[in-house]
Amino acid sequence: MTLQHSRPGLLGMIVSQLRRRRSRALALGAGTLVAATSFTLLTTAVSTSQARTVGVVQHNVRSAYDVLVRPKGTETQLEQSRDLVQANFLSGIYGGISLGQYQAIKKMAGVQVAAPVANVGSVMVESHVRLDVSKYLKAGTEAQALRVRTTISTGTQAVPGSDAYLYFSRTPIGTVDHVDDLPFPGLQAQKAGKSTYYVCWYYNSDKSELLINGDGSPLKPLDLPEDLREWSPFNPDINATLTCRSGSETGYVDVPVSYPVLLAAIDPDQENRLVGLDRAAVTGRALREDDKPVWKTPHDVSYYYDVPAVLSSRALTAGRVDGTVEQLDVGDPAALAKNLGGVHAHTFLNGLHGTPVGSVTANLDDGFPAQGSLKARVDTDEYWTTGPVRYGSSGGVLHPVLKPPQSKELWRTRSEQQFIPAVPEENKGTQFRTVTPHPGAVCVGLRDICVEQDFGRLPPPLLDVVGRYDPDRLPGFSALTAVPMETYRPPSVVGADDATRKALHDAPLRPDRNLGAYLSAPPTLLTSLDSLTVVTKSRHTPDLQDTAPISAIRIRVAGVTGVDAVSRARVSAVAGEISRAYPGLQVDLTVGSSPAPQKVALPGGLTVREEWTAKGVALRILKAVDRKSEILFVLVLVVCGLFLSQAALASVRSRRTEIGTLRCLGWSGGEVMRLVVGELAVIGAVSGAVGTGLAYGLGAGLGMAHAGARAVLVLPVALLLTVAAGLLPAWKATRLGPLDAVNPPVSATRRAAAVRSVRGLAWCNLLRTPGRTALGAAGIALGVAAFTVLLALTLGFRGQVAGSLLGSAVVAHARSADYISVALSLLLGAAGAVDVLVLSQRERAADLAVLRATGWSDRELARLSLCEGALLALMGGLAGAAVGLATVLPLGAGMLAGRLPALTGAALLATAAGVVLVCAALTLPIRAMSRITPAHALAED
């Protein structure tokens, strides 16, 4: 009892023990400081990275619409298998959703905006491109002629264009309005002596050179179409033109061009609410809800509808007209007017020899009707629909399927003898889409009394361009989530390799005027839904454009603010209701979508990158971020906890004799446990207090969010980590009996074996304490395993969320925390292994002294220690690599295809790094041990 009452208090005993073993307490405190501070900073970094990632997603998640409704069957197998939506897909859909379905969807609960697009087809806007050749005119020459040989150049091809001629005369060229009582307003005529010559009419309007007059006299202009049945619309000569100028020094040629523009019908009110189309008007006015076709009854028999429409202020097709200018040898200038004003003008002009004198160039866009013009000539006598592009795939590259060349019958007008004027030359190029013509018919009074061929359509309406709009004025959406299905944005692709970028002159590839081209321009001519009937309706058997004219419906859901749970539920509810009501429609969730670059191989060895749409990217990103952050948190916690457990176990192990003595003096197991846990708690509290200031400084310096609030957590984290890590060592301390104080901690060997090398002795030393060796190896193993798993998570995370613009941006925000976590796991694993090795060396100080006394040098003893450390780290590293890879296989299923060799190499590299770290850290205790003399070590023993 006297001994019991003379025992010092627990707190005093704790303080006494810490003072007596300052080096061990400081080492343990330093480890606690590092572990707690690192854990707090890393979890802060992970949380900050997660917050930034979520911020990026939330800021960019909203695109133009949340749900896309398409006709069933418009989703290709490639889109379905990769969860993508094909870029510019809208241009290949012409009907499939009825007006009744649209009205019902529009009224569904939760639908804020339902904006339909009903593609009609491409119609032609006729115009010309003017090429100035004034500087190539000969001064002082009475009459002369120039030829301009044109070439149409686009991003991927150059095709021959039509020849353009200039007749320039110093003698005035006037105009007449009638020829033999036939109306020809503005017909150019030039007097030469007693004769009048219609200098431009014969070449431009009568290339057949037929002599209709019986006496063989020159044919006068007649209001009769030329018979072109033997021609091809792709013959450049069919559109060769002659421009006649006089009386000035200005000379130019007008090259006739046609611009195919996609006509589509919309609901003006819904479109204005969705994208603000009315705010993009630059001339005239926007479409209104009450815009309807108006029936016109002129004095002649040509009845028709007048349809209000708005037209883009610029062509969304790219191209350039290049011309080589030739000075023509016309012979006698005085006879030039007569030769051009006769029936053989075509043969005469085309047969002239020309001498190249220069070149001219102009953008095709220059010929598109000016932005301020409301009188654009739009011909609806014919329109053309185009099919979608189909793909094959190999090696991660898409290969579009080619179509046969266009037939000349595509461009036949309602008259069998005529082609539409100025067929775009690019249509001779490579075809990727099926092009279908829809000719109109001229019928009297909407009856079956039709002029020429009856194709079934109602009389083509006249489009009344009431306004022009600028697509660039439409509100933009984030580049990370701008769905390529935006109705009015032209598609643009860029070269995916150096050769393609060079071929494209470092410019993006844009649509051209080839209807069957790979890229197709978006709708640029818009009318109201009420006008659909008079444009597409058939007088015979109704087709899909009659019964179900809508191509797609873009839906914005009420109350959607991002990809939070409530917003997702609202979008899913609307999509689900549409799917249940109309199972025959394709319903896609586009909220949170993002452009996903796809490589496409085009003819000519070109490889381009095109922005397709990956659906649900934002949701996948948030799920991946949450999963990744949780695993990072657990791994960092386990690494820090294991490190402190190793340190605590080493501390208890080093006090084996002392604890045994206390048990001999009557201390109970509970008192020993409270002593050990109390010491660790004090160390944790002091380390946490120091770590609070350190974490705050580091967090503020690294720009981490909420650095102050997180720094306060270091103290409780350090206390909890040390106490939790010390429970097992404290419990083991209670298991020590009084006689354990005099028993050596080394297990006896069953059979002695000769040791013939330093490596063999190192291996024997590790086997003498197998439990401790396993503990040290576990630290390295966990570090390497964590490295492998974290690397797999990083690669898998990128593989899961990258591949789109939003995903790539998110990955850029999620790297630093990953790499710091990997470094910490290795460092703490190595530190734990070194702690175990140092403890083992201290317990074997007498053995080392004997070796030194028997002639071992300090270098040989250092080699022994380093060899032990290397073997320990190698065992742990290889085990950790195996565990990490085994963990990766189920964790990264579906994401790590082809990456396992790289992960294995990384795990082995981490093992090598662990060996280097352990050996480097052992240099300090080796130097300290070398300063202990054999006599001192043996005396302690």
Side-chain angles (χ1 to χ4, degrees):
M1 292 295 296
T2 304
L3 181 62
Q4 181 73 18
H5 286 290
S6 64
R7 184 187 306 171
L10 183 61
L11 180 61
M13 187 67 174
I14 291 173
V15 173
S16 174
Q17 289 295 319
L18 293 176
R19 290 176 61 186
R20 288 182 57 246
R21 297 180 174 272
R22 288 189 299 272
S23 59
R24 168 55 58 180
L26 288 174
L28 188 57
T32 303
L33 174 65
V34 171
T37 305
S38 300
F39 174 75
T40 304
L41 288 176
L42 276 175
T43 52
T44 304
V46 170
S47 299
T48 301
S49 175
Q50 183 179 20
R52 289 176 180 173
T53 298
V54 173
V56 170
V57 173
Q58 294 284 12
H59 180 72
N60 295 284
V61 71
R62 201 76 191 272
S63 56
Y65 46 92
D66 307 315
V67 179
L68 174 68
V69 182
R70 295 185 280 173
K72 205 70 172 180
T74 55
E75 182 185 40
T76 65
Q77 185 177 1
L78 182 64
E79 292 176 286
Q80 188 174 20
S81 62
R82 300 190 183 184
D83 209 20
L84 297 172
V85 176
Q86 181 177 335
N88 198 222
F89 85 100
L90 191 60
S91 62
I93 303 177
Y94 295 88
I97 304 174
S98 70
L99 292 172
Q101 289 173 327
Y102 161 60
Q103 292 297 339
I105 291 172
K106 182 180 176 181
K107 295 176 183 178
M108 286 182 177
V111 175
Q112 183 181 29
V113 178
V117 176
N119 287 333
V120 175
S122 295
V123 297
M124 290 294 167
V125 175
E126 298 177 27
S127 185
H128 64 267
V129 173
R130 179 161 293 179
L131 301 175
D132 189 348
V133 294
S134 300
K135 63 181 178 180
Y136 301 116
L137 293 173
K138 287 183 178 180
T141 302
E142 178 63 26
Q144 56 188 298
L146 300 179
R147 180 193 291 128
V148 181
R149 298 192 183 275
T150 64
T151 300
I152 308 299
S153 299
T154 63
T156 59
Q157 64 179 345
V159 294
S162 302
D163 289 343
Y165 293 88
L166 169 65
Y167 166 54
F168 187 83
S169 175
R170 304 294 176 182
T171 303
I173 301 175
T175 60
V176 297
D177 293 329
H178 293 83
V179 178
D180 294 339
D181 295 329
L182 292 175
F184 278 93
L187 180 65
Q188 289 185 297
Q190 185 177 29
K191 292 187 177 295
K194 296 180 180 180
S195 300
T196 298
Y197 299 103
Y198 305 109
V199 288
C200 269
W201 187 86
Y202 287 96
Y203 188 87
N204 293 331
S205 303
D206 183 24
K207 293 182 172 63
S208 65
E209 301 187 2
L210 295 177
L211 300 177
I212 296 178
N213 294 343
D215 59 0
S217 61
L219 180 68
K220 292 183 180 180
L222 293 173
D223 191 14
L224 292 174
E226 186 177 6
D227 188 347
L228 301 176
R229 277 177 291 189
E230 301 302 321
W231 291 69
S232 166
F234 303 122
N235 185 340
D237 195 27
I238 197 172
N239 291 316
T241 56
L242 172 63
T243 302
C244 297
R245 294 281 294 161
S246 67
S248 72
E249 296 298 327
T250 302
Y252 55 80
V253 294
D254 285 332
V255 180
V257 291
S258 292
Y259 299 89
V261 296
L262 180 57
L263 172 63
I266 60 172
D267 183 323
D269 176 64
Q270 297 295 302
E271 206 68 33
N272 293 339
R273 293 174 61 189
L274 183 68
V275 297
L277 182 62
D278 53 341
R279 296 191 295 272
V282 292
T283 304
R285 64 173 178 84
L287 281 177
R288 295 192 294 251
E289 193 71 15
D290 58 354
D291 277 331
K292 302 180 186 302
V294 178
W295 179 247
K296 297 290 186 179
T297 55
H299 297 296
D300 58 17
V301 296
S302 300
Y303 301 91
Y304 61 91
Y305 277 102
D306 190 86
V307 175
V310 293
L311 177 64
S312 170
S313 60
R314 56 189 177 84
L316 297 185
T317 52
R320 189 180 71 251
V321 182
D322 297 313
T324 300
V325 183
E326 297 179 355
Q327 186 76 48
L328 298 181
D329 301 331
V330 299
D332 182 7
L336 190 52
K338 179 180 179 181
N339 290 325
L340 296 178
V343 72
H344 297 293
H346 178 260
T347 299
F348 167 76
L349 201 54
N350 284 8
L352 293 177
H353 175 266
T355 302
V357 293
S359 62
V360 289
T361 187
N363 287 325
L364 272 174
D365 286 353
D366 295 343
F368 199 72
Q371 177 174 303
S373 171
L374 295 178
K375 300 301 180 182
R377 183 181 177 186
V378 183
D379 189 357
T380 63
D381 282 1
E382 296 83 23
Y383 69 85
W384 295 262
T385 56
T386 59
V389 178
R390 301 299 180 183
Y391 295 88
S393 178
S394 63
V397 179
L398 305 181
H399 297 268
V401 179
L402 300 183
K403 300 290 184 181
Q406 288 184 11
S407 166
K408 69 177 184 179
E409 298 304 317
L410 285 177
W411 304 101
R412 184 79 67 183
T413 67
R414 58 175 177 255
S415 168
E416 293 181 350
Q417 300 178 4
Q418 295 291 306
F419 294 112
I420 72 155
V423 174
E425 289 85 351
E426 296 94 310
N427 285 276
K428 293 182 289 188
T430 306
Q431 302 295 299
F432 297 90
R433 303 173 185 270
T434 300
V435 183
T436 304
H438 299 265
V442 176
C443 302
V444 178
L446 302 182
R447 298 181 183 275
D448 290 337
I449 305 173
C450 301
V451 178
E452 299 164 337
Q453 199 170 1
D454 180 9
F455 291 94
R457 280 180 58 204
L458 289 178
L462 294 181
L463 292 183
D464 179 17
V465 178
V466 299
R468 306 287 295 275
Y469 70 94
D470 185 356
D472 289 339
R473 291 196 177 189
L474 295 173
F477 301 93
S478 166
L480 302 182
T481 54
V483 182
M485 298 173 291
E486 303 298 357
T487 313
Y488 313 106
R489 298 288 181 182
S492 178
V493 302
V494 296
D497 53 40
D498 291 338
T500 303
R501 285 188 287 270
K502 183 179 180 180
L504 295 176
H505 306 287
D506 291 323
L509 180 64
R510 292 175 53 199
D512 56 30
R513 300 180 302 158
N514 179 5
L515 292 183
Y518 177 70
L519 296 180
S520 182
T524 50
L525 182 62
L526 307 174
T527 188
S528 63
L529 284 178
D530 291 331
S531 300
L532 272 175
T533 298
V534 302
V535 179
T536 64
K537 187 172 180 59
S538 171
R539 294 177 298 104
H540 297 166
T541 304
D543 61 10
L544 188 63
Q545 286 190 310
D546 291 330
T547 58
I550 295 176
S551 305
I553 304 174
R554 298 151 300 149
I555 295 174
R556 175 162 281 204
V557 178
V560 174
T561 58
V563 287
D564 55 277
V566 175
S567 295
R568 295 200 302 268
R570 288 171 175 165
V571 173
S572 298
V574 170
E577 186 176 357
I578 296 172
S579 297
R580 287 189 296 272
Y582 303 107
L585 297 181
Q586 171 74 34
V587 182
D588 291 315
L589 303 184
T590 59
V591 61
S593 298
S594 178
Q598 303 293 312
K599 285 187 176 181
V600 182
L602 298 180
L606 301 179
T607 303
V608 298
R609 189 180 75 245
E610 184 176 19
E611 304 297 350
W612 289 38
T613 300
K615 295 181 292 186
V617 170
L619 184 59
R620 292 202 303 272
I621 287 175
L622 293 181
K623 288 182 177 178
V625 168
D626 291 342
R627 179 189 186 195
K628 179 168 168 285
S629 298
E630 291 170 359
I631 296 178
L632 280 174
F633 181 90
V634 172
L635 282 175
V636 172
L637 179 63
V638 171
V639 169
C640 293
L642 181 61
F643 169 75
L644 291 177
S645 296
Q646 288 174 321
L649 281 171
S651 176
V652 172
R653 192 81 174 183
S654 66
R655 297 168 57 189
R656 181 184 179 89
T657 303
E658 177 185 324
I659 292 173
T661 303
L662 290 175
R663 293 302 306 276
C664 290
L665 295 176
W667 281 58
S668 67
E671 289 173 314
V672 172
M673 185 171 184
R674 287 195 297 273
L675 174 64
V676 174
V677 173
E679 291 179 11
L680 293 174
V682 171
I683 292 173
V686 175
S687 301
V690 176
T692 299
L694 179 62
Y696 177 78
L698 290 174
L702 295 174
M704 294 181 180
H706 312 295
R710 291 282 183 167
V712 174
L713 296 177
V714 175
L715 179 57
V717 167
L719 191 58
L720 288 174
L721 281 176
T722 50
V723 171
L727 290 177
L728 177 61
W731 177 80
K732 288 179 67 68
T734 64
R735 309 296 294 173
L736 286 174
L739 294 180
D740 290 330
V742 295
N743 290 331
V746 181
S747 301
T749 59
R750 295 181 179 180
R751 182 179 178 181
V755 178
R756 303 182 184 277
S757 65
V758 172
R759 183 170 53 190
L761 181 58
W763 183 250
C764 287
N765 288 336
L766 293 176
L767 294 179
R768 291 173 67 184
T769 54
R772 187 184 304 170
T773 298
L775 183 64
I780 296 293
L782 187 58
V784 173
F787 178 91
T788 307
V789 173
L790 289 173
L791 184 60
L793 279 173
T794 302
L795 291 176
F797 173 73
R798 295 178 190 175
Q800 187 174 6
V801 306
S804 68
L805 297 185
L806 180 60
S808 299
V810 165
V811 167
H813 286 279
R815 293 179 178 174
S816 57
D818 301 341
Y819 296 148
I820 294 174
S821 299
V822 169
L824 175 69
S825 64
L826 285 174
L827 286 173
L828 291 183
V834 169
D835 199 24
V836 168
L837 288 170
V838 170
L839 175 63
S840 178
Q841 287 180 353
R842 287 182 177 176
E843 290 180 346
R844 291 187 290 107
D847 296 348
L848 296 176
V850 170
L851 291 175
R852 185 177 295 155
T854 57
W856 280 54
S857 66
D858 290 341
R859 177 174 296 181
E860 290 172 318
L861 292 175
R863 283 179 56 199
L864 177 62
S865 298
L866 291 175
C867 195
E868 288 182 24
L871 289 174
L872 180 66
L874 190 60
M875 285 191 299
L878 293 176
V883 171
L885 290 174
T887 306
V888 162
L889 291 176
L891 187 65
M895 298 184 299
L896 303 176
R899 292 173 173 165
L900 284 179
L903 288 175
T904 304
L908 295 177
L909 181 62
T911 300
V915 173
V916 172
L917 286 173
V918 169
C919 292
L922 280 174
T923 55
L924 291 177
I926 288 174
R927 178 169 296 184
M929 291 293 294
S930 66
R931 289 195 289 267
I932 300 176
T933 62
H936 185 269
L938 292 173
E940 284 189 351
D941 190 55

